[in-house]
Amino acid sequence: DGTQVSSKDYAGDVLVVNFWYAGCPPCRVEAPDLEALYQKYKAEGVGILGVNLYDTASTAESFEKDKGVTYPSVLDRDTGSVLLAFSKTVPPKATPTTLVIDKKGRVSARILGALPDRSILDSLISDAVAEN
């Protein structure tokens, strides 16, 4: 929707970053799981941020509407700045990839490829929330 997003918006909170695009079959499968976890944890200050690597705004919006996604996403196809910021953690062609960023801003977990099971990401988020 054109809203600017900064890592400072999530400072001190747990953040799940999911790299995706609409034509990615595993991305379509895992979107409802990410949304369910967003709903479960948002009251605890956990954010989920989608990073769309290839789509236009209209394609991304259509995907989000179709899948019932309410957490924010940014378009990274033109600048690649978000992917570049995680270049030591996320291989450029590994979509989807999901990261859990802890309260100190560190990558505490990484899932390359599709989420194997919602409960795994749920546990990773829960562990990050519980950390002091």
Side-chain angles (χ1 to χ4, degrees):
D1 67 2
T3 303
Q4 294 292 313
V5 177
S6 168
S7 58
K8 293 175 186 175
D9 298 337
Y10 300 98
D13 294 326
V14 173
L15 175 63
V16 176
V17 180
N18 177 257
F19 293 85
W20 69 281
Y21 65 97
C24 160
C27 300
R28 291 192 288 260
V29 171
E30 71 185 18
D33 289 334
L34 289 165
E35 178 62 26
L37 291 170
Y38 175 64
Q39 295 302 324
K40 178 178 180 177
Y41 286 104
K42 69 180 180 179
E44 296 181 54
V46 175
I48 294 185
L49 179 66
V51 179
N52 186 299
L53 298 174
Y54 301 112
D55 297 324
T56 63
S58 61
T59 300
E61 288 171 9
S62 178
F63 174 93
E64 290 170 344
K65 183 178 178 183
D66 181 56
K67 298 297 181 188
V69 172
T70 63
Y71 56 85
S73 280
V74 295
L75 294 175
D76 200 41
R77 96 180 189 165
D78 293 333
T79 65
S81 60
V82 179
L83 184 59
L84 183 60
F86 289 106
S87 63
K88 292 182 180 177
T89 309
V90 180
K93 298 293 181 187
T95 308
T97 292
T98 303
L99 305 175
V100 178
I101 312 298
D102 69 13
K103 295 175 186 176
K104 294 179 182 175
R106 304 172 301 193
V107 175
S108 65
R110 175 182 76 171
I111 299 171
L112 290 174
L115 297 176
D117 184 273
R118 180 191 309 180
S119 66
I120 292 171
L121 183 56
D122 192 346
S123 294
L124 294 170
I125 295 169
S126 179
D127 290 349
V129 168
E131 284 182 356
N132 289 326

